[in-house]
Amino acid sequence: MSPVLPLPAPWIDGLPRDVRGFVVPAEAGWEDGAPVLAKVGQDRKVALGMRRACGVCGFVLPKGRAVYRAFAQVDAAHIRMHEREQSHDDSGPLHLSCVLYSAMVCPYLRERTARMSRTGINPGGRRGTRAAVIGFAGFGLLVPMHAYKSSQPAMPKFAYVQMVEDIPYVDGADLTDRYEAAVRSDRNIIDMSVPRMFWTGEEPPDLKRALRADVKAISRRAENSEFVYTQMIENEGEFGALPL
Ligand SMILES: [Zn+2]
């Protein structure tokens, strides 16, 4: 039985589709000229985050508004208990309508039997019966403390600060009403008059250019110790949070 899928909001509708017809998020990885929706494009997520652009639609996340991610049950529980003030995820921030759309459409997020989990806590673990969309007041880039000195740096992550919203769900379809409300409110804050950040294919030159500028900016801020805090991540070492 295939679930009834939500109508994409205008800022989602214009995104490319993969061969199965799924919307391709801006932060998806690309291999052999095709998007791989199960992978996060490490270059893309940094370039998007540095420009405060949403990892799904590629349009800007306005300052002063909460940003969102979806989490597996075990990760959501961990955040509620231990990381309400400072959390982290491998992937970048999203608009509420964009994360709810993903949670309703993406096979990894919508079904309770699926396996998905953030890196480090429970990789490959089950999504769990009650996944959650969690909102945070702010975000930053979480960079390995010695990235700018190392030839093989760990990948940056995203810091999420101050949990402000918690939307548990069992099945993607539970989110229908919330999604429709989020589309109505996000319509007022998503500026579609400027082009979305989206790069097609592998290593597009404009993405490489953007990334070179970003790496320079990150290194400069890291050397000036502009971190708002640092934290140890199990098996990965010390990271510093640069506000965005
Ligand atoms: Zn978005």
Side-chain angles (χ1 to χ4, degrees), residues 11-12 15 53-61 93-99 186 190 196:
W11 45 96
I12 297 169
L15 288 165
C54 170
V56 169
C57 72
F59 288 112
V60 166
L61 296 146
L94 309 175
H95 296 111
L96 180 57
S97 55
C98 293
V99 73
D186 279 353
I190 298 181
R196 71 169 93 239

Side-chain angles (χ1 to χ4, degrees), residues 11-224:
W11 45 96
I12 297 169
D13 200 23
L15 288 165
R17 309 277 173 146
D18 75 355
V19 288
R20 300 166 302 171
F22 287 117
V23 160
V24 180
E27 70 179 5
W30 286 66
E31 281 173 8
D32 300 326
V36 183
L37 270 52
K39 281 198 170 170
V40 177
Q42 298 296 327
D43 293 356
R44 285 172 165 80
K45 78 174 189 189
V46 172
L48 290 161
M50 289 290 283
R51 289 159 186 78
R52 292 190 64 90
C54 170
V56 169
C57 72
F59 288 112
V60 166
L61 296 146
K63 279 204 166 171
R65 300 283 299 216
V67 298
Y68 298 84
R69 285 297 318 178
F71 295 93
Q73 178 166 345
V74 62
D75 295 333
H78 186 85
I79 293 169
R80 285 179 200 116
M81 282 177 19
H82 304 292
E83 300 184 348
R84 300 180 82 92
E85 295 305 313
Q86 288 171 12
S87 188
H88 65 88
D89 192 65
D90 189 42
S91 310
L94 309 175
H95 296 111
L96 180 57
S97 55
C98 293
V99 73
L100 292 173
Y101 180 83
S102 305
M104 295 172 74
V105 171
C106 166
Y108 292 93
L109 297 174
R110 106 186 147 207
E111 281 151 28
R112 63 185 90 178
T113 52
R115 287 179 181 273
M116 57 80 79
S117 189
R118 64 180 185 173
T119 328
I121 301 284
N122 181 28
R126 286 191 180 281
R127 194 209 76 158
T129 306
R130 274 163 68 85
V133 166
I134 295 182
F136 300 92
F139 71 97
L141 196 66
L142 207 53
V143 296
M145 286 299 283
H146 304 291
Y148 54 99
K149 288 178 188 160
S150 164
S151 58
Q152 278 264 296
M155 290 298 171
K157 301 173 187 303
F158 285 90
Y160 291 100
V161 293
Q162 212 190 325
M163 176 174 161
V164 290
E165 218 171 323
D166 186 1
I167 308 172
Y169 66 96
V170 176
D171 292 307
D174 302 349
L175 299 169
T176 303
D177 292 347
R178 278 187 182 271
Y179 171 66
E180 285 169 5
V183 170
R184 286 193 295 275
S185 62
D186 279 353
R187 198 179 287 279
N188 302 316
I189 62 155
I190 298 181
D191 180 5
M192 294 176 64
S193 69
V194 285
R196 71 169 93 239
M197 305 269 169
F198 195 96
W199 300 276
T200 305
E202 285 149 277
E203 305 200 346
D206 49 342
L207 173 60
K208 284 172 81 174
R209 256 196 315 277
L211 205 64
R212 270 200 299 273
D214 292 347
V215 168
K216 262 190 211 154
I218 294 165
S219 300
R220 198 168 48 239
R221 295 184 63 188
E223 291 194 45
N224 293 338

